[in-house]
Amino acid sequence: MEIFVELSVIIVIAMFVSLLMRALKQPLIVGYIFTGILVGPYFLNLIQNGDVIELFSKIGITILLFIVGLNLSPNVIREVGKVSLLTGIGQVLFTSIIGFFIATALGIDRIAAIYVAIALTFSSTIIILKLLSDKGDLNKLYGKIAIGFLLVQDIVATLILLFTSSFAGGEGSVLFIALMTVIKGSLLILTMVAISHYILPQISTFIAASQELLFLFSLSWGLGIAALFSLLGFSVEIGALVAGVALSMTPYAIEVASRMRPLRDFFILLFFILLGSHMVFENIFALIIPAILLSLFVLIGNPIIVVILMNVLGYSKRTGYQAGLTVAQISEFSLILATLGFEFGHISREILSLITFVGLITIAGSTYLILYSDEIYPYVEKFLSFLEIYKNGNKRNKNKGYNSILFGYQRVGQDFIEAFNRLDLAYIVVDFNPESIKKLEEEEIPFKYGDAKDPEFLTELDFKNLRYMVSTIPEFETNLVLVRRIRAKNKRAIMIVISHDREEALALYAEGASYVIMPHYLGAQYAVRLIGRAGLDRREYDMHREKHLAHLEKRIA
């Protein structure tokens, strides 16, 4: 069959399978792998030009990892915060150790068991980002923490890929290969750091003037560095990652990533189709029990590990539960690692099929767990209580008695704290932004670390004796919950919330809000009064301008 016709037929089949996956609310990766099974040798046997499709899939992996690298700026560890760093590393360690013992207990040889254990460790940042975005949970506490420790996983996966790629046909002792890997890897990374600091900034501004040239440069940079790493004895995958990290320090990283995604989506489609076509079915029944056991460990064991780690770090069981569900599947990194292991001769086709089976089961299962996490929670809440080492996660909360609460320290929270101090109120601040918490600790301001959107966290707050509540949170649903909860327990509390919509403001008033701040409305009123008072006197405007600038600089400092 002509390659053009072959590819066209495969893509059409992938489209119909993906439509079915979409109807079932499944990630398209599942559809791509099922397409590979359908067009593979056991069913339609449509793949006749395997070498060409394998080349395209290799390009897809390269572009995928290049984009992952673009999101792994060296500043990422500082940005994700301590909880994401500790949870990410802790989950990787515990999952890989337990996974190794499960794999060896199933009769898998030691080298293959290491690959299986590592594959069980990593979760898909791409899938989780999409699911959390669809649920509107990216800005919730658990969403921020989850994305943080998934990025930590990506960094660990990068290091593992670097180490694994050094064994591609390498001869000699493990110690010698590891030493050579460290030496060559260090030299290459230092070279990339120097280029990214001293050369890329000089040429990126010129290149970015043309969007077409920026796209071409980015593609040539990613593929070129990947090819260079391959020539020096590493895999193209680790080369693509390093190329992305080097380019991540330029101001055009986001633009580059957005332009590369359509190209990635096409080529990576062929990688997952090829992966599905490589699955073996001769001993399918021998793989079913190991696949189910390993999948149960990922679907149940991984979330339990995260729940315990986050409880030790002081988070509520609901936050730990929701964050834990985001690691209840294996990732594209796991499948790429398994494919590399198969190419290097470290694992058999049966082990590759086993890991792919686990990927299908866990990606499909975790999707429903995340989408319906709120409905599932009441059924598992009692079990989660048994996992709590510290009850109520109160280690992070630094506060004494209080009669006033400020939700949200950022935005204009500092102004309200000054007002609370003038009224001599005993107050606490509720926030979960790591930068806000750090500043609150430095200024010795009493706080509770938590998410105002978390119903379980709200039960820990004393609303009965509340005198003042101010929320600088802009989300209508969150403010509505706060007003209803407080008013149900306290009829006299003064509640001030923010809204940007007239209908929502009226709804908040109807539920019992004392005053709804509408920034644009208040700003317009102030501007009208200023115009009426100052008229055409520029000196009056200059005076207000200087006062406003001084206020802004004080808040930024």
Side-chain angles (χ1 to χ4, degrees):
M1 187 186 300
E2 186 184 347
I3 182 63
F4 177 80
V5 176
E6 181 180 322
L7 274 176
S8 300
V9 172
I10 290 172
I11 290 171
V12 169
I13 293 173
M15 186 270 293
F16 282 110
V17 175
S18 297
L19 285 175
L20 176 61
M21 293 300 108
R22 179 70 175 172
L24 295 173
K25 298 183 179 180
Q26 285 295 317
L28 295 186
I29 287 177
V30 177
Y32 300 159
I33 296 175
F34 272 122
T35 301
I37 295 172
L38 281 175
V39 302
Y42 293 96
F43 293 94
L44 300 178
N45 195 25
L46 294 179
I47 298 180
Q48 305 299 319
N49 296 279
D51 292 342
V52 176
I53 295 178
E54 188 168 350
L55 173 62
F56 285 175
S57 72
K58 180 71 76 173
I59 294 173
I61 296 171
T62 304
I63 296 174
L64 169 67
L65 295 178
F66 176 61
I67 293 174
V68 170
L70 286 170
N71 295 314
L72 292 181
S73 164
N75 296 322
V76 72
I77 296 296
R78 178 177 58 82
E79 292 170 356
V80 300
K82 183 174 72 174
V83 59
S84 294
L85 180 61
L86 294 177
T87 305
I89 293 175
Q91 182 266 322
V92 166
L93 286 174
F94 284 112
T95 300
S96 56
I97 292 170
I98 298 171
F100 175 77
F101 284 114
I102 293 174
T104 52
L106 291 170
I108 299 172
D109 69 80
R110 185 170 297 180
I111 297 298
I114 292 173
Y115 272 91
V116 171
I118 294 173
L120 301 181
T121 296
F122 302 115
S123 305
S124 176
T125 306
I126 296 172
I127 292 174
I128 298 305
L129 272 171
K130 179 69 168 62
L131 291 173
L132 294 185
S133 177
D134 290 346
K135 285 189 69 178
D137 286 359
L138 279 175
N139 290 319
K140 289 188 177 180
L141 174 58
Y142 88 89
K144 287 179 175 290
I145 293 172
I147 296 304
F149 62 61
L150 289 175
L151 288 174
V152 172
Q153 283 188 4
D154 289 346
I155 294 171
V156 175
T158 301
L159 297 175
I160 291 174
L161 281 177
L162 174 63
F163 185 75
T164 303
S165 67
S166 65
F167 285 86
E171 296 180 358
S173 67
V174 173
L175 182 61
F176 175 76
I177 294 174
L179 181 62
M180 291 304 297
T181 299
V182 171
I183 294 172
K184 289 194 297 183
S186 299
L187 289 174
L188 283 170
I189 290 172
L190 286 173
T191 303
M192 289 295 103
V193 169
I195 292 173
S196 64
H197 272 88
Y198 300 108
I199 298 177
L200 286 180
Q202 303 299 322
I203 62 175
S204 60
T205 303
F206 171 75
I207 292 171
S210 167
Q211 296 298 306
E212 292 81 4
L213 186 58
L214 179 64
F215 170 77
L216 182 60
F217 169 76
S218 304
L219 185 61
S220 62
W221 172 262
L223 296 179
I225 298 299
L228 175 64
F229 269 66
S230 178
L231 291 173
L232 294 174
F234 294 96
S235 68
V236 295
E237 289 80 7
I238 192 63
L241 267 168
V242 173
V245 172
L247 210 58
S248 71
M249 290 179 274
T250 68
Y252 309 105
I254 296 175
E255 176 69 18
V256 169
S258 66
R259 286 188 164 271
M260 297 290 282
R261 284 191 186 102
L263 202 61
R264 173 203 68 185
D265 292 342
F266 170 72
F267 284 108
I268 204 66
L269 155 72
L270 297 175
F271 165 73
F272 288 113
I273 289 175
L274 190 66
L275 181 66
S277 71
H278 282 164
M279 292 183 67
V280 294
F281 291 91
E282 285 93 348
N283 298 316
I284 184 67
F285 293 106
L287 294 178
I288 288 177
I289 292 178
I292 291 174
L293 290 175
L294 292 171
S295 297
L296 287 174
F297 170 61
V298 174
L299 288 166
I300 300 173
N302 272 358
I304 287 175
I305 290 170
V306 171
V307 168
I308 294 173
L309 287 171
M310 290 190 64
N311 175 257
V312 170
L313 291 171
Y315 293 85
S316 69
K317 61 177 180 284
R318 187 184 184 98
T319 300
Y321 154 79
Q322 289 181 308
L325 292 181
T326 64
V327 296
Q329 87 288 128
I330 67 173
S331 75
E332 58 279 354
F333 259 127
S334 305
L335 300 176
I336 290 170
L337 179 68
T339 303
L340 282 176
F342 174 67
E343 291 175 358
F344 298 159
H346 296 168
I347 63 174
S348 65
R349 190 181 291 271
E350 286 74 17
I351 297 298
L352 175 62
S353 299
L354 173 63
I355 294 173
T356 306
F357 265 127
V358 173
L360 285 171
I361 295 170
T362 57
I363 291 172
S366 66
T367 297
Y368 291 129
L369 289 176
I370 292 170
L371 290 177
Y372 300 105
S373 60
D374 293 332
E375 290 80 1
I376 296 170
Y377 181 74
Y379 297 99
V380 299
E381 184 177 6
K382 287 185 178 179
F383 169 73
L384 293 173
S385 298
F386 291 111
L387 301 176
E388 287 187 296
I389 298 173
Y390 298 102
K391 298 297 180 183
N392 298 324
N394 55 12
K395 287 173 61 183
R396 296 189 60 85
N397 299 324
K398 299 183 178 181
N399 54 82
K400 298 178 181 178
Y402 56 90
N403 57 25
S404 303
I405 301 177
L406 169 65
F407 288 94
Y409 182 67
Q410 287 187 322
R411 308 177 189 94
V412 292
Q414 293 163 296
D415 295 315
F416 287 108
I417 285 178
E418 291 178 1
F420 285 167
N421 286 330
R422 286 196 297 269
L423 292 172
D424 198 26
L425 295 171
Y427 63 87
I428 61 168
V429 178
V430 172
D431 209 317
F432 62 77
N433 184 289
E435 293 181 4
S436 297
I437 296 301
K438 183 179 179 182
K439 195 165 186 179
L440 290 167
E441 288 178 330
E442 289 173 352
E443 298 182 7
E444 298 184 348
I445 296 173
F447 68 89
K448 264 186 175 288
Y449 188 97
D451 188 353
K453 305 179 185 73
D454 183 354
E456 184 178 305
F457 170 73
L458 294 180
T459 62
E460 300 175 18
L461 300 175
D462 180 13
F463 291 150
K464 188 175 181 180
N465 299 308
L466 208 61
R467 294 178 62 187
Y468 255 103
M469 185 281 287
V470 176
S471 171
T472 67
I473 300 169
E475 288 86 2
F476 168 68
E477 291 79 8
T478 303
N479 286 325
L480 193 63
V481 169
L482 289 175
V483 170
R484 284 175 176 171
R485 287 219 174 200
I486 294 172
R487 194 56 79 206
K489 293 186 177 182
N490 189 325
K491 303 298 182 184
R492 298 179 59 83
I494 297 171
M495 295 183 290
I496 300 176
V497 294
I498 285 180
S499 176
H500 295 279
D501 181 85
R502 177 179 173 276
E503 297 300 323
E504 292 176 357
L506 291 173
L508 290 167
Y509 276 127
E511 293 292 338
S514 305
Y515 187 72
V516 179
I517 302 170
M518 299 188 70
H520 292 90
Y521 176 75
L522 291 177
Q525 280 189 323
Y526 181 82
V528 168
R529 287 198 298 269
L530 176 61
I531 292 171
R533 185 170 60 251
L536 298 175
D537 186 355
R538 288 187 59 85
R539 290 174 299 178
E540 185 78 14
Y541 291 103
D542 289 340
M543 181 186 70
H544 282 276
R545 177 179 179 274
E546 294 304 319
K547 284 184 178 179
H548 193 200
L549 284 172
H551 179 77
L552 292 175
E553 289 171 359
K554 180 182 177 183
R555 288 292 167 255
I556 294 172

